[in-house]
Amino acid sequence: MTVESRMHNARIVSSVAATIISLACGTNYVYSAWAPQFADKLHLSATESELIGLAGNMGMYLMGVPVGMFIDSRGPRPAVLAGAVLLGLGYLPLQRAYDAGQGSVPWLSLASFLTGLGGCMGFAASVKTSALNWPHHRGTATAFPLAAFGLSAFFFALSSSILFPGSPGKFLLLLSIGTFGMIFIGFFFLRVHPHGPAYHAAAATDSETEDPRGLCRTTSQQSKLSRDFSEPGMLTDYAIATTEPAVPEAPTNGESPESGPSKPAAAKHATHPIGSSSEEADETSSLLSQSTTPSSLAGEVLVQSSVDMDRSHRVDIRGWNLLKNLEFWQFFSIMAVLSGIGLMTINNMGNDAAALWKHYDDSIDDKAMVLHQQLHVSILSLGSFAGRLLSGTGSDFLVKVLHASRIWCLVIASVIFLLAQICALNIVNPHLLGFVSGFSGLGYGFLFGVFPSIVAECFGIRGLSQNWGFMTLSPVISGNIFNLVYGFVLDAHSVIEADGKRRCEEGIECYRSAYFVTLSACGLGLVVTLWVIWHQARMRAREMGKGHAGE
C-alpha cells in the first residue's frame, strides 16, 4: 500500500470520527424531551425552565467567536477533548439534581451552559478537521458532521426510548456518559493529515518558490520540520513552514484579525491559480475518490461547494469592517428572527405535547408522556437533518442551474417556518402535532444548512471562522426573547397545585399567544429576506458595472 493510500484511509477514519463527535454535540436540541418532567420534579416555573434551556443555547452560540479563535490557534484536538469533559460534567449535575428533586436555578443554568459550550467546541473542531483533510471535497466532507449534528437529538431520544423508556433521570445519565464517551473515543482518531503536495513544493532546485500572494512555498524537508514542531490544524503550521521573516503567517482555517489569508502552496509545476476552473471541478468530486491535484485554500470551512470560489476569494470583510457593513446586519437580523422562531419550538416542543395531551386525554401517565415528547424531538431532529442536506444541494442548484441567489433558500426556510406557526396555532389534536415539529425542524435545518455558505460568499472565505462566530451571536438574543415570551404565556395559563407542581389543562390556549408573536416575526423575516435578495442583486450588478442605469 502506497503512502498516499494510507493517508487517504487515515483521512476517511478521521472523517468518521468527526461525524461521531458531531453526533454527540447537538444534544441541546433534545432539551424539550426531558425539560417538562425535570421542571415538575424540581417544582420549577416555565420561566425558570426556559432560563435553564437558554443557558445551554448561550453556551452553544455565544461562545462561537472565542471557541473559533482557540481552535485556530491551538488546533482542533484540544477543543475536542475539552468538549468531551464539559459535556460529561454538564449533564451529570442535571441528572443528580433530578434524582434529588432539588437544585438552584443558577447552578442548573451553569451546568446547562457547560453542555452548550462543550457541544460548540466539539462540533467546531470536527468540522474544521473535515475541511482541512479534504481540501478538494470540502462540500461533501463537511456535510457529514453538519448533518450528524442535526441528527443528534434523534439519536439520543431514540436510544433513551429503547434503553430507558419514560425515565428522564436515566436519560440525563445517558447524555452525560454517552456524549463524553463518543467524543473521547473519537478524539484518538480525529487528526488533520496534511496533503504533501498541498503543503510543500518539491522544486528541482530544492529551493523555495514565492507565491504571488506573498506566501513562501517550502521544501519537503521544511514541511517535515513543520509537522515535527506543530500539530496539523494549528495556526503555527504555516508560520513554521515559512523562512522569510517578512512573510505573514497564514493559519489553516479562520484567522485572528491580525493574521493573513490561509493559502497552502501549490504542487510542483502547478500552473493554475488558486480557485481556477480545474480546482473548482475537483472540489465537487466524490469524497471517496482519491485526488492527486493540489489543495485549494485551507480556509474554506463550511462552504458547501465550489460555486463559492469566485467572490468568496475576492472579498475579505471581517473585524470592525464587518460590523460596519450593512449587509452583515441584514443577515444578522434574518438569522436572529428565524433562528429565534426555531429555537422557541425546539426548546418547548415537550411543553406543546404535554399541554395538548393533558387536555385531550387526562388519563395519560408520565411514562407515555415522555415517549410522546421524545417522539417529537426525534421528528424535529430528522427534519433538521433533512433540511441541512436539502439546503446545501438546493443552494448549489439555484446558483449553478438557475443562476439565482442562494439566499432564496432563506425564503424557503421562512415559508416553512410560516407553515409551522400556522399549524401550531390551529392543531388541537396531539396526534397531528408532528406537523409542527416536522416543519420547525425542516425550517431550522434549511436555515443553518445554507447560512455558512452565504456568509463565505458575501464576506470572504478568509475570515469565515470569525464571521460565522459573530453571526451565531444572533440566536442568543432572539432565542432569549422568544423563549421567555413562551415561558410567560405558559405561566399565565398554569395553576400551582398543592404539591407545588404547575399544570395547564387548557390545551392549545396554554401556548397559543406565543405563536402569534412568532407568526408576526416570521412574516417580518420573510419580508426582510426578500428585500435583501433585491438589494444584493443591485449591489452585485453595480460591482459588475451593470447597475449604473438603476442608480
Side-chain angles (χ1 to χ4, degrees):
M1 182 180 291
T2 64
V3 174
E4 182 59 28
S5 297
R6 289 197 298 269
M7 292 294 288
H8 181 80
N9 293 336
R11 293 184 194 107
I12 292 178
V13 171
S14 183
S15 295
V16 172
T19 303
I20 293 174
I21 290 171
S22 295
L23 190 63
C25 291
T27 52
N28 276 80
Y29 301 131
V30 81
Y31 178 73
S32 62
W34 56 269
Q37 286 72 33
F38 188 85
D40 286 345
K41 185 78 176 286
L42 275 68
H43 300 165
L44 302 175
S45 68
T47 303
E48 290 172 331
S49 179
E50 295 297 335
L51 289 174
I52 295 172
L54 288 174
N57 291 335
M58 291 181 67
M60 174 63 69
Y61 298 112
L62 188 62
M63 303 304 292
V65 175
V67 166
M69 292 180 177
F70 175 78
I71 293 174
D72 287 344
S73 62
R74 303 299 300 273
R77 302 186 78 234
V80 170
L81 196 58
V85 173
L86 290 174
L87 277 165
L89 292 179
Y91 279 115
L92 191 58
L94 294 172
Q95 185 267 335
R96 295 290 180 85
Y98 180 85
D99 286 347
Q102 59 182 359
S104 67
V105 173
W107 170 245
L108 298 175
S109 297
L110 175 61
S112 181
F113 177 84
L114 293 180
T115 65
L117 177 58
C120 177
M121 297 185 79
F123 176 61
S126 65
V127 171
K128 175 174 181 176
T129 302
S130 297
L132 292 176
N133 275 335
W134 304 97
H136 294 288
H137 321 300
R138 198 161 284 115
T140 304
T142 57
F144 285 99
L146 280 169
F149 182 82
L151 202 61
S152 179
F154 168 75
F155 173 78
F156 281 97
L158 180 63
S159 299
S160 176
S161 65
I162 294 174
L163 299 174
F164 314 112
S167 179
K170 292 182 179 178
F171 185 21
L172 287 168
L173 185 61
L174 173 66
L175 288 172
S176 177
I177 298 175
T179 54
F180 173 81
M182 291 171 65
I183 298 177
F184 185 72
I185 292 173
F187 166 80
F188 294 100
F189 301 95
L190 186 80
R191 294 181 181 275
V192 177
H193 299 281
H195 291 247
Y199 280 73
H200 62 271
T205 60
D206 201 36
S207 62
E208 296 177 356
T209 305
E210 187 173 349
D211 188 278
R213 295 169 178 80
L215 294 179
C216 281
R217 298 179 181 179
T218 67
T219 64
S220 57
Q221 180 64 27
Q222 289 167 330
S223 181
K224 180 179 182 298
L225 290 175
S226 171
R227 290 193 296 272
D228 289 341
F229 287 93
S230 66
E231 177 186 343
M234 293 177 61
L235 182 144
T236 53
D237 270 357
Y238 296 95
I240 295 177
T242 60
T243 57
E244 296 181 13
V247 178
E249 294 180 0
T252 55
N253 169 36
E255 311 74 34
S256 63
E258 297 82 12
S259 62
S262 174
K263 299 178 181 67
K268 179 183 178 181
H269 305 313
T271 58
H272 297 287
I274 294 177
S276 65
S277 58
S278 63
E279 286 196 85
E280 291 179 348
D282 190 49
E283 177 79 16
T284 57
S285 58
S286 171
L287 174 63
L288 301 179
S289 62
Q290 298 188 35
S291 174
T292 58
T293 55
S295 171
S296 59
L297 299 186
E300 298 167 53
V301 184
L302 300 178
V303 180
Q304 297 295 328
S305 74
S306 62
V307 295
D308 294 321
M309 291 291 287
D310 186 15
R311 190 177 190 276
S312 64
H313 288 84
R314 289 190 287 105
V315 298
D316 185 11
I317 303 172
R318 47 181 154 165
W320 287 112
N321 289 331
L322 181 75
L323 298 180
K324 293 185 292 184
N325 188 281
L326 174 63
E327 199 169 34
F328 166 75
W329 291 109
Q330 292 169 353
F331 286 116
F332 189 90
S333 301
I334 294 173
M335 170 67 89
V337 172
L338 297 183
S339 63
I341 293 170
L343 284 173
M344 192 191 83
T345 299
I346 288 171
N347 287 347
N348 294 286
M349 199 64 230
N351 289 323
D352 289 0
L356 291 188
W357 274 108
K358 289 176 181 177
H359 183 73
Y360 183 83
D361 181 10
D362 57 5
S363 64
I364 188 171
D365 58 19
D366 289 341
K367 183 176 181 179
M369 182 66 71
V370 170
L371 292 177
H372 283 298
Q373 290 166 339
Q374 291 178 348
L375 171 64
H376 288 291
V377 169
S378 299
I379 295 173
L380 272 165
S381 184
L382 288 172
S384 177
F385 170 77
R388 289 167 190 261
L389 292 182
L390 289 173
S391 63
T393 57
S395 65
D396 285 351
F397 176 80
L398 285 171
V399 174
K400 289 181 177 180
V401 179
L402 301 181
H403 304 291
S405 171
R406 66 178 69 245
I407 304 176
W408 281 104
C409 281
L410 299 183
V411 175
I412 297 174
S414 300
V415 172
I416 295 173
F417 275 129
L418 195 65
L419 291 174
Q421 311 316 299
I422 293 173
C423 290
L425 288 168
N426 291 279
I427 290 177
V428 295
N429 186 338
H431 293 99
L432 301 177
L433 195 59
F435 285 104
V436 179
S437 53
F439 282 133
S440 296
L442 186 64
Y444 200 76
F446 252 93
L447 176 68
F448 277 87
V450 72
F451 227 107
S453 291
I454 294 175
V455 171
E457 191 176 68
C458 295
F459 309 116
I461 194 73
R462 298 172 189 129
L464 178 57
S465 291
Q466 300 172 45
N467 295 345
W468 180 242
F470 280 114
M471 195 65 70
T472 54
L473 293 176
S474 58
V476 177
I477 302 171
S478 59
N480 283 337
I481 295 173
F482 287 119
N483 278 282
L484 289 176
V485 167
Y486 187 101
F488 291 146
V489 171
L490 185 58
D491 282 341
H493 290 84
S494 300
V495 295
I496 302 177
E497 298 179 337
D499 58 0
K501 294 183 178 181
R502 294 174 181 265
R503 187 179 182 89
C504 179
E505 298 181 349
E506 300 177 16
I508 193 174
E509 295 301 326
C510 293
Y511 57 80
R512 193 174 191 183
S513 298
Y515 281 98
F516 277 119
V517 175
T518 53
L519 180 67
S520 303
C522 194
L524 175 63
L526 179 60
V527 171
V528 172
T529 304
L530 290 171
W531 182 83
V532 167
I533 292 176
W534 173 80
H535 180 262
Q536 189 183 81
R538 289 190 62 195
M539 294 300 101
R540 298 293 183 266
R542 187 174 299 174
E543 287 181 7
M544 300 298 294
K546 299 177 181 178
H548 300 293
E551 298 177 5

